[in-house]
Amino acid sequence: MIVIVGDKLKLGGLADVIMNRLNEEVRYIEENISIYRQENEILNAGKEDCSYIIYDTEQYYNEADEIINVIKRIYRTNKAKPILYVPTVNPKNEIIKNAVAQQIKSFINSALMLGEQKDQLEKILVGFFEANEREDVIAVQKEIDEDNKTLNAFVGELYDAKQREEEKEYTIIENKKTGSEVAINTIKWIFEIVFGAISISLMTIAIITLTYTETRTVLFKLLQSIWNQITAMI
């Protein structure tokens, strides 16, 4: 059995090929603007020995990646191979690119004459394109490869810019750290001089008080002298 997801009248010509030339049964899933609303019905239809599912992608308002993600997980569940009915096989088309990126490579171009559409469908169903890769699919793969190169180059530039910024920040921090260390060392040096002067003065006071009897007067004069020296240093 082959499931067709879309309008019966629009896809009736393809159904003729399936039923009359390949003697396969066809089941339709009614069209909808959202593939999410069809998902369960497609999964249930796929339980009945379904070999292929044809999706009319023109019916959906979903984003290209959403459409392909749903189609891919349906395939993973029931193993029915997806065929996409698309308005173009332009390699820049987002649905086409997303599909090929996820290894979905069976397309029917709705822009072609009905006879050509039927020819594409029949070749898909008999495995012709599995043995002979399509030129339009090769072109899409090249476009994807170019996109990946551009993306990788962009990511590389971002990484390099981040590295340069980190190095710049490290240099600034180191410079700030060096300036701070200089200031700290200067303050430390000043305190060492001041406290050294105080220590010498205190020892002098001790000697004087032991040497002279009128120690109080001498002590006050010495303290005044020390204070004057400290004030002059600051």
Side-chain angles (χ1 to χ4, degrees):
M1 182 184 68
I2 295 174
V3 173
I4 297 178
V5 185
D7 183 68
K8 281 186 179 182
L9 294 176
K10 182 179 180 180
L11 302 175
L14 300 181
D16 287 340
V17 173
I18 295 168
M19 292 184 292
N20 299 326
R21 290 180 62 84
L22 302 173
N23 296 318
E24 287 272 4
E25 181 185 353
V26 173
R27 177 174 174 179
Y28 284 95
I29 303 293
E30 188 176 349
E31 65 179 340
N32 200 297
I33 61 173
S34 174
I35 193 170
Y36 293 109
R37 298 176 187 172
Q38 298 171 322
E39 187 173 8
N40 288 340
E41 189 174 357
I42 296 170
L43 287 169
N44 287 329
K47 292 179 180 178
E48 302 175 14
D49 194 26
C50 175
S51 55
Y52 288 90
I53 301 175
I54 301 173
Y55 298 87
D56 178 9
T57 61
E58 296 176 278
Q59 67 187 295
Y60 300 124
Y61 287 0
N62 307 99
E63 295 294 329
D65 60 333
E66 294 179 320
I67 296 170
I68 300 305
N69 285 339
V70 173
I71 290 174
K72 187 69 176 183
R73 69 184 181 218
I74 290 172
Y75 168 71
R76 285 196 295 265
T77 302
N78 58 25
K79 304 305 178 185
K81 296 178 181 178
I83 301 172
L84 306 187
Y85 191 73
V86 294
T88 178
V89 287
N90 188 311
K92 294 186 181 297
N93 181 273
E94 288 301 314
I95 289 181
I96 301 295
K97 285 166 66 176
N98 275 274
V100 173
Q102 297 215 42
Q103 300 303 307
I104 298 173
K105 299 181 180 181
S106 296
F107 304 105
I108 299 172
N109 189 350
S110 66
L112 298 177
M113 299 294 290
L114 181 58
E116 293 175 291
Q117 293 180 33
K118 289 181 177 181
D119 180 67
Q120 286 185 339
L121 174 60
E122 192 166 357
K123 284 180 177 176
I124 291 169
L125 297 179
V126 299
F128 177 84
F129 290 128
E130 290 184 5
N132 304 276
E133 192 168 13
R134 296 169 55 159
E135 291 184 3
D136 48 11
V137 173
I138 294 173
V140 175
Q141 188 61 60
K142 288 181 179 178
E143 185 70 22
I144 293 171
D145 292 341
E146 287 299 318
D147 287 349
N148 288 338
K149 287 180 182 178
T150 302
L151 179 60
N152 290 337
F154 178 69
V155 171
E157 289 176 2
L158 285 180
Y159 178 78
D160 291 341
K162 182 175 181 295
Q163 289 292 101
R164 289 194 296 270
E165 191 64 27
E166 288 178 351
E167 289 173 3
K168 182 179 177 182
E169 289 179 1
Y170 177 78
T171 302
I172 292 172
I173 290 170
E174 285 298 308
N175 289 338
K176 286 182 178 179
K177 181 180 177 182
T178 302
S180 299
E181 288 177 347
V182 170
I184 291 170
N185 289 334
T186 302
I187 294 170
K188 182 180 177 182
W189 177 73
I190 292 172
F191 274 104
E192 285 177 352
I193 292 175
V194 171
F195 284 112
I198 292 172
S199 297
I200 293 170
S201 300
L202 290 174
M203 285 188 290
T204 304
I205 291 170
I207 294 169
I208 290 172
T209 54
L210 292 173
T211 305
Y212 298 96
T213 55
E214 297 178 356
T215 55
R216 183 175 299 176
T217 302
V218 176
L219 176 60
F220 284 139
K221 288 181 179 181
L222 186 58
L223 289 176
Q224 182 65 43
S225 175
I226 293 171
W227 175 253
N228 291 337
Q229 290 179 18
I230 294 172
T231 305
M233 287 183 186
I234 295 174

